[in-house]
Amino acid sequence: MPFRFCPQCGTKLQPEFRFCPSCGEKLLCPVELPEPSGQTESWAPSQSHEIETFTVKTSPTVLSTRFEATERHPCNESLPVSARPPLRQTRKSSRFIKEADFNIQDVAPPADVIEVRGKARTSRPVEKLVQEGKELTDKTSLEAGESNLACSPVSASLTRSSPATSRSPLKGRGKAKKAKHMFALEPLEENEEVTDTTGKKWKLVKLISQSMTELFYEVFQAQTRSSSKEINYILKLGAKDGRIFNEQNFLQRSAKPSSVDKWVKNNKMDFLGIPSCVGFGLHGDSYRFLVFPDLGQSLESLMQNDGLLSEKVVLQLACRILDVLEYIHSNEYVHADLSAENIYVKPSQKSQVYLVGYCYAFRYCPGGQHVEYREASRTPHEGTVEFISLDAHKGAAPSRRSDLQSLGYCMLRWHSGMLPWTEVTQPDQVATQKQRYMDDVPALLNHCFGKKSVTRAFQTYLTAVMALQYSEQPDYLALKDVFRAALLQLGGTVEQLLDF
């Protein structure tokens, strides 16, 4: 049947018109209407959506054919009716004026109505209509219809240009996971004050040392009436969201002074080298800090001045560190980064050895349940590569045996000055060397000491810890007895001052 209204501008038409008298568009005649695959379509305007909306009676099997037919529509050879821009009606005229200079990607497609199996659906955007067609075709398992829909150039172009599928690169980045950037620590000014969570103010005196992730300051507690220094403290400064937060968490959970004192009393010990954190807090938007009493000098700095350590001193250090490891292991944590940089000795009290640096501390046994051994479950090679365990190299969570193996490597390094992998720079190659000597402790000792004589304590200790299973509890008392017996042979005890 002829059009009663122009599909382009809405002007009322006469049956004999072949061109719209208002916009000049060629009108589709019943003779010219293409009939794809023997199907007929009605292009009469809908009652509820004059001009902009058309009712198309079709079945799901010819859904894709409908789009191909509209693409070849003579009234608009460049775009299908359903993909035309929205129309705007002016107040002074009933004629619809087409928007100028539009972009199909910037405007929403007009609504369309499709009747399926006699039930009219509400208006849908074109991209939703295409999706519905795909779903209906899938439900009826009509392969021909599915193939036609997928290959239809109209449906493909609409899908590419649809706002639902064409996303701005900037919007896409907004939902992407944020990358972690390493915070470059900048030293704070001397005499600057920081305030901990209890309200105490700490004044920075001077910068002692710094690395890429940490800075150490000599500080004192600022007084209300006097600025004199009564007690020296050390302030450790790190990035707010860096590993210093992990250390703070460990100290608050498992290294409370009351818990340490109770352990010392119950085990009848004279000393336990767990540092006491006397203050912590945030500074500005970027810094987190911890405050400790002055713990003396790091073992690393002492070795730089005095060279290698004697066998007696190494055994004394090992006994003190084993005490600390037994304590933190009993509190479900492992240290995971033993090295000379994380061991401190007080010059005035050289029998007191502190194990510090809990940035890599790991809770290996939460709630009394040991974690499972899984390689590549964590970042491989975490910690000081020369001394970390083979588990850490493989990306498995560190366990108690990891700390004891690391202590063994440290002992060899402190006394002999080298390890088979000391000069190796690639972490994977270091791991290969450690794997090689796991089952051959005598070869490891021979490589480190050569013909130099050492007590059997080193071999006994290393053989025992290399044979530990992942979740096995070490016999700390037996290991310390090995060291104590060797010390007696050398004429020393654990309680004696360290002779550097």
Side-chain angles (χ1 to χ4, degrees):
M1 60 177 291
F3 284 98
R4 291 181 295 174
F5 300 89
C6 176
Q8 180 66 22
C9 64
T11 302
K12 188 173 182 180
L13 306 174
Q14 298 297 328
E16 63 273 16
F17 286 177
R18 295 294 180 266
F19 293 90
C20 176
S22 298
C23 65
E25 286 287 338
K26 183 179 179 181
L27 303 177
L28 180 64
C29 301
V31 180
E32 297 175 347
L33 182 66
E35 297 181 2
S37 303
Q39 301 293 334
T40 60
E41 299 180 15
S42 175
W43 294 92
S46 169
Q47 296 296 328
S48 59
H49 297 279
E50 278 193 345
I51 310 309
E52 290 186 313
T53 307
F54 296 88
T55 302
V56 181
K57 297 181 178 180
T58 182
S59 64
T61 58
V62 296
L63 197 59
S64 61
T65 309
R66 170 200 182 265
F67 287 114
E68 295 174 359
T70 55
E71 186 187 29
R72 298 191 299 269
H73 199 300
C75 292
N76 192 348
E77 296 180 355
S78 60
L79 290 173
V81 175
S82 57
R84 291 176 186 172
L87 304 179
R88 181 179 63 191
Q89 186 177 16
T90 62
R91 295 182 178 180
K92 296 183 179 180
S93 172
S94 60
R95 181 174 298 176
F96 286 82
I97 303 175
K98 184 167 63 174
E99 292 281 335
D101 299 329
F102 68 90
N103 187 334
I104 191 171
Q105 295 185 1
D106 299 332
V107 295
D112 204 353
V113 177
I114 178 170
E115 291 184 0
V116 180
R117 298 182 183 178
K119 296 182 180 180
R121 298 196 177 198
T122 57
S123 297
R124 296 281 195 272
V126 173
E127 64 269 19
K128 291 186 178 180
L129 185 139
V130 174
Q131 184 63 31
E132 289 176 359
K134 292 181 180 179
E135 295 174 356
L136 291 172
T137 307
D138 292 338
K139 290 180 181 180
T140 54
S141 301
L142 298 177
E143 297 179 357
E146 183 179 9
S147 175
N148 291 337
L149 183 61
C151 298
S152 170
V154 176
S155 61
S157 63
L158 290 175
T159 304
R160 287 193 300 268
S161 63
S162 167
T165 55
S166 296
R167 184 171 295 170
S168 167
L170 293 177
K171 294 181 180 178
R173 294 191 192 102
K175 293 186 177 181
K177 187 177 180 180
K178 295 182 179 179
K180 294 183 178 180
H181 300 283
M182 180 178 291
F183 177 75
L185 284 178
E186 296 183 2
L188 298 179
E189 296 290 337
E190 294 183 358
N191 296 321
E192 187 170 351
E193 290 186 355
V194 298
T195 306
D196 64 20
T197 54
T198 63
K200 295 179 182 177
K201 295 184 181 297
W202 303 91
K203 193 168 186 178
L204 308 183
V205 179
K206 66 177 180 179
L207 179 64
I208 302 175
S209 63
Q210 70 178 103
S211 64
M212 288 293 294
T213 57
E214 298 173 342
L215 300 101
F216 292 87
Y217 288 88
E218 181 183 346
V219 298
F220 65 91
Q221 186 176 347
Q223 303 297 319
T224 305
R225 297 181 180 180
S226 173
S227 60
S228 61
K229 300 181 291 184
E230 295 183 356
I231 303 177
N232 289 336
Y233 293 90
I234 301 299
L235 182 141
K236 183 177 183 179
L237 189 70
K240 177 181 178 181
D241 299 323
R243 288 193 173 275
I244 192 174
F245 175 75
N246 189 54
E247 181 170 7
Q248 176 185 321
N249 187 45
F250 163 78
L251 294 171
Q252 289 182 272
R253 179 188 292 271
S254 300
K256 297 177 181 178
S258 58
S259 300
V260 175
D261 292 341
K262 182 178 179 181
W263 177 271
V264 170
K265 182 178 180 180
N266 292 341
N267 290 274
K268 299 179 180 180
M269 303 172 65
D270 62 327
F271 173 79
L272 182 64
I274 295 287
S276 177
C277 183
V278 297
F280 59 88
L282 301 176
H283 183 67
D285 298 327
S286 305
Y287 297 94
R288 185 183 299 273
F289 66 89
L290 305 172
V291 183
F292 302 95
D294 187 3
L295 302 178
Q297 200 171 356
S298 72
L299 184 61
E300 181 73 18
S301 62
L302 291 172
M303 290 182 63
Q304 288 177 356
N305 298 331
D306 302 327
L308 301 181
L309 303 180
S310 67
E311 185 177 356
K312 178 182 174 181
V313 171
V314 170
L315 293 174
Q316 287 176 304
L317 289 170
C319 285
R320 291 299 192 185
I321 296 170
L322 270 177
D323 286 339
V324 178
L325 292 180
E326 183 178 7
Y327 171 81
I328 64 175
H329 291 175
S330 67
N331 284 273
E332 303 181 347
Y333 275 88
V334 292
H335 187 279
D337 191 27
L338 266 68
S339 68
E341 294 180 350
N342 289 327
I343 296 174
Y344 275 70
V345 180
K346 278 192 175 182
S348 59
Q349 297 173 312
K350 289 188 177 181
S351 63
Q352 297 184 1
V353 180
Y354 292 90
L355 180 60
V356 304
Y358 294 87
C359 291
Y360 289 94
F362 175 73
R363 195 179 182 193
Y364 75 96
C365 193
Q369 184 67 33
H370 200 291
V371 297
E372 296 181 0
Y373 179 83
R374 290 187 302 164
E375 294 183 7
S377 62
R378 293 167 56 88
T379 303
H381 317 300
E382 281 191 326
T384 307
V385 175
E386 187 176 3
F387 305 114
I388 59 176
S389 67
L390 195 60
D391 293 335
H393 281 290
K394 295 180 179 180
S399 66
R400 290 169 289 192
R401 75 175 184 184
S402 302
D403 280 348
L404 298 186
Q405 289 175 8
S406 295
L407 176 58
Y409 296 144
C410 288
M411 293 170 60
L412 294 177
R413 182 71 164 82
W414 299 339
H415 186 38
S416 70
M418 64 173 299
L419 289 166
W421 49 85
T422 299
E423 303 299 329
V424 180
T425 57
Q426 297 299 324
D428 290 334
Q429 297 177 3
V430 174
T432 301
Q433 291 283 340
K434 290 179 180 177
Q435 181 71 63
R436 174 186 174 187
Y437 290 104
M438 281 285 291
D439 300 325
D440 197 352
V441 173
L444 176 60
L445 293 173
N446 183 63
H447 189 284
C448 294
F449 297 107
K451 296 182 179 181
K452 181 181 177 181
S453 62
V454 292
T455 62
R456 292 187 59 85
F458 283 83
Q459 182 172 345
T460 303
Y461 174 83
L462 288 170
T463 302
V465 299
M466 296 301 180
L468 286 172
Q469 299 299 310
Y470 181 69
S471 58
E472 183 180 352
Q473 179 175 349
D475 190 341
Y476 303 96
L477 180 59
L479 295 175
K480 284 186 286 187
D481 285 343
V482 171
F483 294 151
R484 291 179 184 274
L487 278 172
L488 287 177
Q489 292 179 358
L490 296 173
T493 63
V494 177
E495 294 75 20
Q496 285 181 346
L497 297 180
L498 299 173
D499 184 16
F500 290 102

